[in-house]
Amino acid sequence: MVKHIVTFKLTGTSKERLEVAKSFREALLALPPQIPVLQSMEVGINSNPAEEWDLVLTAIVPTMADVETYAAHPAHVAAAALLKGHKADRACVDYEF
């Protein structure tokens, strides 16, 4: 099994960042039924104003190759497009467990 963890830092005002994060979260949470390799998806929006990162996602897929299958799936590509023009930074860790 592979855990795919991604954090995002968004651009804009606090209100704008929150609205983008909410839209992105909803799109991500809709992915498991659409992408066969995606076994689970958890998405959290940062509620600590002292921190700079806005959102984190944790996805679980069976193999490291499935991370790419998930990333290239049209439903994921459409969800990721919601961040266009709003993403300041991204960090990712994929590990087997």
Side-chain angles (χ1 to χ4, degrees):
M1 302 297 286
V2 175
K3 201 169 272 196
H4 172 70
I5 302 172
V6 186
T7 61
F8 295 92
K9 191 182 296 185
L10 304 175
T11 61
T13 66
S14 294
K15 183 179 178 182
E16 291 167 338
R17 293 190 336 262
L18 180 59
E19 290 305 312
V20 170
K22 285 179 178 179
S23 294
F24 189 45
R25 176 183 62 195
E26 293 308 311
L28 290 172
L29 292 176
L31 294 179
Q34 301 175 62
I35 304 175
V37 298
L38 187 54
Q39 296 188 346
S40 71
M41 172 67 72
E42 182 178 336
V43 183
I45 296 174
N46 185 18
S47 56
N48 182 349
E51 298 296 333
E52 296 181 7
W53 293 84
D54 295 291
L55 182 130
V56 63
L57 73 86
T58 303
I60 296 176
V61 296
T63 69
M64 201 60 79
D66 290 326
V67 174
E68 182 56 36
T69 300
Y70 152 74
H73 192 280
H76 175 263
V77 172
L82 295 172
L83 294 184
K84 187 174 182 170
H86 301 285
K87 184 172 60 175
D89 208 351
R90 174 188 181 273
C92 177
V93 173
D94 295 317
Y95 67 91
E96 296 177 306
F97 67 103

